[in-house]
Amino acid sequence: MSAPEISAVGEFSLDFDAMELPAHPGLTLTAYSAEAGTPDHDALRLLVAWAATEREQTRDAGPARP
């Protein structure tokens, strides 16, 4: 897979597995991973933590006001 470039973590490489969902034709479940203990894994973990923090901050802020 080509290496994504995310400004929060830089460039890293991921492996992926894709599984078509027989009960839902046309839909595919894709799981991304990086080998444990590698810089790619560290970057992926950092990105996951950053996304979780962003999600918490959005949730804690409450509904948007006009």
Side-chain angles (χ1 to χ4, degrees):
M1 170 172 199
S2 63
E5 174 80 34
I6 309 288
S7 61
V9 296
E11 187 175 306
F12 60 105
S13 295
L14 297 175
D15 296 318
F16 73 95
D17 289 304
M19 178 179 71
E20 292 185 21
L21 304 174
H24 301 282
L27 292 181
T28 303
L29 175 66
T30 305
Y32 296 92
S33 63
E35 185 176 344
T38 65
D40 296 328
H41 185 252
D42 294 340
L44 183 58
R45 288 177 50 98
L46 180 59
L47 188 59
V48 167
W50 175 72
T53 301
E54 288 289 313
R55 192 171 38 246
E56 280 183 27
Q57 289 175 351
T58 301
R59 185 192 67 219
D60 292 344
R65 295 192 175 117

